[in-house]
Amino acid sequence: MQMPIEFKQHTLANQLTVIAEVNPDAHTSAIGFFVKAGARDETADVMGVSHFLEHMMFKGTARRTAEDVNREFDELGANYNAFTSHEQTVYYAHVLPEFLPRATDLLGDMLRPALRTEDFDMEKNVILEEIGMYDDRPEWVLQDKLLEDYFRDDAGGDHPLGFRVLGTTDTIKALSAEQMRAYFEHRYSPDNIVVAAAGKIDFDALVADVEKLCAVWPATGATRDYAEPCPADKAQQVADAKLSRHYLGMLCPAPSAQDERRYAAKVLADVLGDHEGSRLYWAIIDPGLADE
């Protein structure tokens, strides 16, 4: 007989939130640290700092070297990674249930990184190479230009939702380790972090493990500016003589993350344009009119 799935939540004294979808019949466990720190929380002069900081989390802590971090994930047989978007930075691991406490300790420790200047200087070159790599991919160039243009109002003002997640070559070159540390200390605050887990979870044990790791983290009262953008209808063409095909992108207003209609909007988006099974898929991909 299958056991029912339960949803549980607990908030530490420093306002860090722990939530879980507990499934006693699951064979694995997953955990993620979700930080409300993305491109929309940056200023123009530090554009790209959220993503750069994601890289720095894997460079070691007071307890672990960078080699220790990678080796321990491998010892756990973990499926692990991290990503940064306009809205958040996420660090996660997917392991067998018996390894969840170790994965929690590893991720929690990573979120208090050493942020050594020598690591910062070396990783800056990696970020610049990554920017160059994406600059060679037309679909990403199109997306960046689309967002920048859409979120620029009639007065020429730039809304941070139009910022590039990777930053630009100029902003990354100009970024200092001190600027990154200040951004980290403010935004990687427990009242700005959610620890989410799913699968075969002992929730009380998970809360105890997170509290042991994170209870001493000081809250900073980090907030987010939800100022609405003021985009205007417009169209733009970008020519590149090196390319042999067309790329088309369209952007329009939709419900925000604070709007419960976002769930219906996501279903609608999947019906219209998901990469498989959507109306656009059957209209243009299946007949071979477009590759994706």
Side-chain angles (χ1 to χ4, degrees):
M1 180 176 127
Q2 284 192 326
M3 299 291 288
I5 294 175
E6 293 184 280
F7 295 90
K8 299 193 174 185
Q9 178 172 336
H10 179 81
T11 302
L12 305 188
N14 62 3
Q15 299 305 303
L16 186 145
T17 299
V18 184
I19 60 174
E21 179 185 286
V22 180
N23 183 356
D25 296 314
H27 296 286
T28 59
S29 302
I31 184 169
F33 281 69
F34 290 71
V35 187
K36 193 185 288 187
R40 69 171 300 159
D41 302 301
E42 300 168 357
T43 54
D45 61 322
V46 296
M47 189 193 307
V49 66
S50 302
H51 170 257
F52 197 153
L53 190 51
E54 174 209 319
H55 281 232
M56 294 298 294
M57 295 292 162
F58 291 87
K59 294 302 178 183
T61 71
R63 290 199 281 140
R64 291 176 170 93
T65 65
E67 291 76 14
D68 290 335
V69 170
N70 291 308
R71 175 181 50 77
E72 288 187 41
F73 273 127
D74 289 342
E75 288 174 350
L76 298 178
N79 173 22
Y80 71 97
N81 212 329
F83 65 87
T84 306
S85 70
H86 281 85
E87 302 283 349
Q88 61 189 348
T89 309
V90 179
Y91 307 85
Y92 65 88
H94 181 200
V95 295
L96 291 172
E98 58 266 33
F99 296 140
L100 183 63
R102 289 176 60 188
T104 303
D105 179 76
L106 181 49
L107 288 170
D109 188 35
M110 284 172 56
L111 261 69
R112 284 300 176 262
L115 296 182
R116 290 177 286 264
T117 301
E118 56 269 28
D119 293 331
F120 173 87
D121 293 339
M122 184 176 297
E123 198 63 22
K124 180 176 285 195
N125 294 321
V126 175
I127 302 294
L128 291 171
E129 289 178 3
E130 188 174 357
I131 291 173
M133 180 184 72
Y134 278 94
D135 283 344
D136 287 334
R137 298 174 62 179
E139 66 273 25
W140 285 102
V141 172
L142 173 63
Q143 177 174 295
D144 283 342
K145 289 187 179 297
L146 185 64
L147 290 171
E148 287 172 347
D149 194 46
Y150 182 82
F151 288 108
R152 181 171 293 122
D153 60 35
D154 290 333
D158 292 325
H159 191 283
L161 282 173
F163 288 172
R164 299 187 182 193
V165 172
L166 297 184
T168 68
T169 298
D170 289 340
T171 63
I172 295 302
K173 283 183 176 179
L175 187 68
S176 70
E178 291 73 21
Q179 287 174 307
M180 174 179 283
R181 293 187 188 106
Y183 182 85
F184 165 78
E185 289 172 5
H186 180 61
R187 297 220 65 86
Y188 275 66
S189 168
D191 49 340
N192 209 38
I193 295 174
V194 172
V195 177
K200 192 170 186 178
I201 307 290
D202 180 335
F203 186 70
D204 291 338
L206 173 64
V207 169
D209 289 340
V210 172
E211 189 152 26
K212 180 180 177 182
L213 279 164
C214 310
V216 297
W217 297 358
T220 66
T223 59
R224 168 171 284 172
D225 182 2
Y226 286 108
E228 291 191 18
C230 300
D233 294 342
K234 63 190 80 171
Q236 182 182 186
Q237 292 186 2
V238 180
D240 189 332
K242 300 189 298 296
L243 301 182
S244 58
R245 49 180 159 174
H246 292 90
Y247 295 81
L248 176 67
M250 293 180 285
L251 202 61
C252 66
S256 74
Q258 289 72 49
D259 190 329
E260 289 190 358
R261 293 177 299 167
R262 69 188 184 279
Y263 301 111
K266 180 64 169 66
V267 173
L268 178 61
D270 288 343
V271 168
L272 293 177
D274 191 53
H275 71 282
E276 59 180 24
S278 68
R279 293 189 176 190
L280 270 175
Y281 174 86
W282 291 111
I284 64 174
I285 308 301
D286 185 67
L289 302 178
D291 290 336
E292 60 180 346

